[in-house]
Amino acid sequence: MTTQTHTAIDKAKLTEQLLAAVESHNTQQIKDFFSHLVAEEIAEILESTPPKDRQILWETLNGENQGEILTHTNDEVTATLLESLKPHEIVNITEDLETDDIADIVQSLDSSKQQAILSSLDENNRTAVETALTYPDDTAGGLMSTDLISVRADVTLDVVLRYLRTLGELPDSTAELFVRDRNKKFVGSLKLTALLTHDEDTLVKDVLDTHIPAIRAFTSEKEVAHFFEKNDLISAAVVNENDQIIGRITIDDVVDIIREEAEHAQMARAGLDEDEDIFAPASRAAKRRTFWLGINLITAIFASIVIGLFDASIEKVVALAVLMPIVASMGGIAGTQTATIVIRALATGKLAKSNSRSLLIKESTVGLYNGVIWAILTGIAVLFWFDDIALSLIFSTAMLINLFAAAFAGAMIPLILQRLKIDPALASGLMLTTVTDSLGFFVFLGLATIVLI
């Protein structure tokens, strides 16, 4: 049967139908449902299924497809599914996978199962997997596949064509062959179009493309994605410290990087891990989240302490209690807008030390402009609301200061966190909230205490 793409709503309905089939022990219906889906869609369904039902669905799957499905599940779900398998079963479902996918799965196993997988591979594949395991999984070396074709620069295209015919088939996503010298060092790439359109007696070195450099094995995955985007690549060679070709990265790997980065950014705003199993045991999930809840509690207490310093003023002028959340809220939104721009610029490599000062000045100026605009508008509103010009001026001043400070903090906090090698997406929100809330309360209540009380 042909596979089909499904919308989020379709997948939700399909998951419900699958769970109903599990409830009724209708194995054939489950198999029929799965026959219409590609591996990534099945992986998404497994991730959205409670552990008990997930295990039943997993056991219903064809063993030939289980390995490919595991390459699309998140790390925690992968580890959970592999726990139920014996070493020889893992060997069976991974035998047709590419070496980079095998390396990812091996990382999820305990040492005994890792050894069983590695010992089952032939010498070339075992060496490739062991090489991939020596690099962090978020680098080019951890992402690369060794399934590539390389040729010498000093041979003719006829020799290359005869070599390809002996292979019988090309690796997936092959649009070019990588060219090496006698020491296996990368010298360029040979496009398949050039191979097919030039005379057979042409030397490879005469038609090779030397404009696109190879990627170093320890290059971060973010930089790899930027490299592909900048050069419009389908694949790229990965080289070691000696410039020798050790693997390649293809566009499908980069798509995975982009998707994972998007998920990371979305989850990080709440202090969560994108690889967390949504049906992980409650005790484990609570343990993970309690740290950020604790940090949030500390920031909330700090803001409350600031308010407590002016409790006498609030008692005397009730309007202060009504207006102070507005100052803090406006500052929070302004700071979040700036922080989002800066975090995105950092993630895409558009912001570095050389241009960070310019962006800081620009965002602070935007905060100042917005501060003036909203100070005037809200000051007029407060004047009509409470008929108190002093209160109106205090509120306007606090609004101006807090919007300016929020924009400045929204730019500075991610930059500082980046310099400290802390993920800006993960920690900026809490720190920014502390600044905008505490400063907003302090400025507004402080000015009110001085002028009104």
Side-chain angles (χ1 to χ4, degrees):
M1 293 185 181
T2 57
T3 57
Q4 303 174 5
T5 57
H6 297 79
T7 65
I9 296 176
D10 289 336
K11 290 174 185 175
K13 290 182 178 179
L14 184 56
T15 301
E16 290 181 5
Q17 293 171 335
L18 279 168
L19 292 178
V22 170
E23 188 74 21
S24 61
H25 305 287
N26 193 335
T27 303
Q28 187 56 49
Q29 187 179 16
I30 296 173
K31 290 181 178 180
D32 290 341
F33 278 132
F34 280 153
S35 67
H36 291 79
L37 305 178
V38 297
E40 189 166 3
E41 290 176 317
I42 296 174
E44 290 177 355
I45 289 174
L46 290 176
E47 290 177 349
S48 60
T49 307
K52 183 179 178 181
D53 297 328
R54 177 189 298 157
Q55 190 61 38
I56 295 174
L57 293 177
W58 172 251
E59 292 172 355
T60 306
L61 288 166
N62 189 325
E64 296 178 357
N65 300 326
Q66 287 179 327
E68 185 181 357
I69 292 166
L70 284 179
T71 65
H72 297 289
T73 54
N74 66 46
D75 293 345
E76 196 163 300
V77 171
T78 299
T80 302
L81 293 174
L82 290 174
E83 283 178 2
S84 62
L85 299 180
K86 296 178 181 178
H88 73 273
E89 293 175 319
I90 300 175
V91 169
N92 290 337
I93 67 174
T94 58
E95 61 182 356
D96 294 328
L97 298 181
E98 294 188 5
T99 52
D100 58 330
D101 292 327
I102 296 175
D104 290 338
I105 291 175
V106 167
Q107 289 177 333
S108 304
L109 303 172
D110 58 42
S111 57
S112 61
K113 288 184 178 179
Q114 283 186 359
Q115 194 55 45
I117 297 290
L118 292 174
S119 61
S120 70
L121 301 173
D122 59 50
E123 185 176 353
N124 289 337
N125 284 333
R126 181 167 62 252
T127 301
V129 172
E130 289 174 341
T131 300
L133 292 174
T134 62
Y135 298 102
D137 58 4
D138 59 351
T139 63
L143 293 167
M144 71 180 183
S145 168
T146 57
D147 192 13
L148 59 87
I149 297 175
S150 63
V151 296
R152 291 257 299 274
D154 56 357
V155 299
T156 64
L157 299 186
D158 179 57
V159 172
V160 175
L161 287 169
R162 283 190 280 114
Y163 171 59
L164 295 182
R165 293 188 189 105
T166 62
L167 293 177
E169 61 181 358
L170 301 180
D172 293 337
S173 303
T174 297
E176 60 193 355
L177 311 179
F178 300 116
V179 183
R180 66 184 191 278
D181 62 15
R182 291 179 179 275
N183 298 316
K184 297 184 178 180
K185 290 186 177 182
F186 175 80
V187 294
S189 59
L190 173 62
K191 304 291 186 184
L192 292 186
T193 51
L195 176 64
L196 297 173
T197 56
H198 285 80
D199 293 334
E200 292 185 350
D201 58 353
T202 304
L203 292 175
V204 170
K205 65 181 180 181
D206 293 332
V207 292
L208 67 83
D209 184 352
T210 59
H211 294 95
I212 305 299
I215 300 174
R216 296 284 180 181
F218 282 101
T219 302
S220 71
E221 60 180 17
K222 288 183 181 180
E223 294 178 55
V224 170
H226 298 155
F227 184 81
F228 268 71
E229 178 188 17
K230 182 172 65 175
N231 295 288
D232 294 327
L233 299 178
I234 295 176
S235 65
V238 179
V239 297
N240 60 18
E241 62 276 7
N242 298 318
D243 290 330
Q244 295 173 325
I245 303 174
I246 57 174
R248 69 166 182 156
I249 293 176
T250 53
I251 188 63
D252 59 310
D253 299 314
V254 177
V255 171
D256 290 339
I257 294 172
I258 296 170
R259 178 175 54 80
E260 289 168 3
E261 283 298 314
E263 291 176 355
H264 172 73
Q266 183 179 23
M267 299 293 280
R269 285 195 289 268
L272 300 175
D273 183 355
E274 71 273 17
D275 284 327
E276 180 178 335
D277 182 359
I278 62 173
F279 291 104
S283 58
R284 189 194 307 166
K287 183 179 178 180
R288 288 173 174 170
R289 299 180 195 181
T290 191
F291 172 77
W292 291 106
L293 288 173
I295 297 295
N296 184 70
L297 176 62
I298 294 172
T299 61
I301 290 174
F302 185 77
S304 298
I305 291 173
V306 173
I307 296 173
L309 296 174
F310 303 99
D311 57 350
S313 302
I314 297 173
E315 289 178 6
K316 292 181 181 180
V317 184
V318 178
L320 299 181
V322 176
L323 295 174
M324 65 182 188
I326 300 175
V327 178
S329 176
M330 289 291 284
I333 294 298
T336 299
Q337 289 174 337
T338 301
T340 300
I341 291 171
V342 174
I343 291 170
R344 183 176 181 276
L346 288 170
T348 56
K350 296 178 181 178
L351 186 61
K353 187 177 181 180
S354 58
N355 60 355
S356 59
R357 183 179 179 182
S358 298
L359 184 61
L360 179 61
I361 293 173
K362 176 257 182 178
E363 289 299 327
S364 298
T365 304
V366 171
L368 182 61
Y369 286 163
N370 279 328
V372 171
I373 293 169
W374 287 105
I376 294 172
L377 293 176
T378 56
I380 294 172
V382 169
L383 179 60
F384 278 103
W385 190 357
F386 294 98
D387 194 24
D388 187 332
I389 191 168
L391 181 62
S392 173
L393 290 174
I394 291 168
F395 185 84
S396 297
T397 304
M399 181 69 73
L400 172 60
I401 293 173
N402 202 34
L403 285 178
F404 172 76
F408 180 81
M412 279 297 295
I413 289 173
L415 291 172
I416 292 172
L417 292 173
Q418 178 85 350
R419 195 71 58 82
L420 297 174
K421 301 196 182 301
I422 300 173
D423 186 354
L426 193 61
S428 292
L430 285 174
M431 296 183 66
L432 186 59
T433 299
T434 303
V435 171
T436 56
D437 285 1
S438 302
L439 183 63
F441 294 146
F442 183 80
V443 172
F444 180 53
L445 296 176
L447 288 173
T449 300
I450 294 172
V451 177
L452 300 178
I453 312 298

